[in-house]
Amino acid sequence: MRRLFYVADDLDTTRAVSDAVHEEGIRDHDFHVVSRDEAGLFRHRIHSAMTYHQLDVIHTGERWALAGVSVGVAAVLLLKLATPWDFSPDAIASAALVAFGGLFGAWQGGMVGLTRENYKLAPYHHELEAGRHVIMIDVPREREHDVRDLLRVRFPQVQAAGEDTTLINPFETPPRIYRQNTH
């Protein structure tokens, strides 16, 4: 799926966009709005983005899980190759150590991710700080053209701001890390 990003200046326009895309068959599950005005989104009954869309919990968790797995593998290799005593972990102990490293890394990364804005929102950070609203619409490739045309024709005041995939890539590095200040 593709994620289309749009930026709107006010909540009335955002609500109108929400209604229009819902008429086109886009469900709430595929329509999210990130705004510093959460109360305004609630009052206008606009589907707010989930916490994992706003914060970098999953992305940072994945990255730290990979680091934890690497540390676990290094620990197993160290125990197998460089121990001064006659001890070598078996396959189950090795797998448990690697799994523990990965799970501990994922947990630590998730905690760090709670303090960061989602890396996919970094290009729109200044728009959010200026009080604008970032609209994210998840569409299958075959419907992408229809949604783009709908917004271009009916809402020329809404700025097309970019596109991305809905997948979270742990190897993608944001241009800048912004500390979260939305909650």
Side-chain angles (χ1 to χ4, degrees), residues 15-86:
R15 178 65 196 182
V17 169
S18 174
D19 292 341
V21 297
H22 283 95
E23 289 171 9
E24 288 294 316
I26 305 293
R27 306 169 314 209
D28 272 346
H29 179 73
D30 297 324
F31 180 85
H32 318 283
V33 178
V34 179
S35 174
R36 297 290 187 244
D37 185 9
E38 290 284 336
L41 292 176
F42 181 76
R43 278 193 310 275
H44 283 80
R45 292 188 214 99
I46 300 170
H47 189 257
S48 177
M50 303 298 288
T51 301
Y52 66 88
H53 290 120
Q54 297 179 32
L55 303 178
D56 209 34
V57 176
I58 296 173
H59 178 250
T60 307
E62 287 176 341
R63 292 175 74 122
W64 284 50
L66 291 172
V69 165
S70 299
V71 169
V73 168
V76 167
L77 290 175
L78 185 65
L79 286 172
K80 285 192 180 278
L81 301 175
T83 56
W85 56 87
D86 191 26

Side-chain angles (χ1 to χ4, degrees), residues 152-173:
R152 185 177 42 77
V153 171
R154 288 186 54 189
F155 303 100
Q157 72 276 23
V158 175
Q159 174 189 350
E163 66 180 63
D164 202 346
T165 178
T166 56
L167 298 176
I168 298 171
N169 181 357
F171 301 107
E172 189 172 344
T173 303

Side-chain angles (χ1 to χ4, degrees), residues 5-18:
F5 291 90
Y6 290 90
V7 178
D9 289 325
D10 58 76
L11 287 173
D12 292 329
T13 302
T14 304
R15 178 65 196 182
V17 169
S18 174

Side-chain angles (χ1 to χ4, degrees), residues 33 51 84 87 97 101 122 124 136 161:
V33 178
T51 301
F87 170 75
L97 189 57
Y124 314 107
M136 301 184 297

Side-chain angles (χ1 to χ4, degrees), residues 86-134:
D86 191 26
F87 170 75
S88 181
D90 62 354
I92 293 174
S94 299
L97 189 57
V98 171
F100 176 77
L103 292 172
F104 185 75
W107 173 70
Q108 283 292 105
M111 294 296 111
V112 170
L114 286 172
T115 67
R116 296 180 177 177
E117 187 174 78
N118 191 316
Y119 77 107
K120 291 191 179 213
L121 293 177
Y124 314 107
H125 177 79
H126 297 295
E127 301 288 350
L128 291 167
E129 289 295 313
R132 299 180 81 196
H133 314 284
V134 176

